[in-house]
Amino acid sequence: QVQLQESGPGLVKPSQTLSLTCTVSGASITSDYYYWSWIRQPPGKGLEWMGAINGAGSIFYNPSLKSRTSISRDTSSNQFTLELRSVTPEDTAVYYCARSISLPGIITTFDEYDYWGQGTQVTVSS
């Protein structure tokens, strides 16, 4: 069974860098068939796709976040990571990692993905 688990700090100060890790079990992040994404949902708002890395290691970003976002992977640990720089309170959200068989759209929905992590709340506050 495929499982994804987000980990990282729940509280980040403004202007700092948010770093999250997604640990995957039951599937390889180097598989040719999948995209591994970061998605977030601010309070009271819809889902926002942030970016993805595919099995070949190609990386795709939401253009609106590209200047502040980096996605990378550690194949030996079967993990992929998100860095979001220069955070503000507007970056407060539940952050998810998820798997899909096609590249998600910027406006995304839960049913674009076949497996999700449980999500982790990140609050940006001083």
Side-chain angles (χ1 to χ4, degrees), residues 6-12 16-22 38 70 80-85 87 95 120 122:
E6 305 90 351
S7 59
L11 180 64
V12 183
Q16 291 187 341
T17 295
L18 163 67
S19 296
L20 295 174
T21 296
C22 182
W38 288 101
S70 295
F80 63 105
T81 62
L82 170 74
E83 286 194 347
L84 182 65
R85 296 176 290 276
V87 298
Y95 286 75
T120 186
V122 177

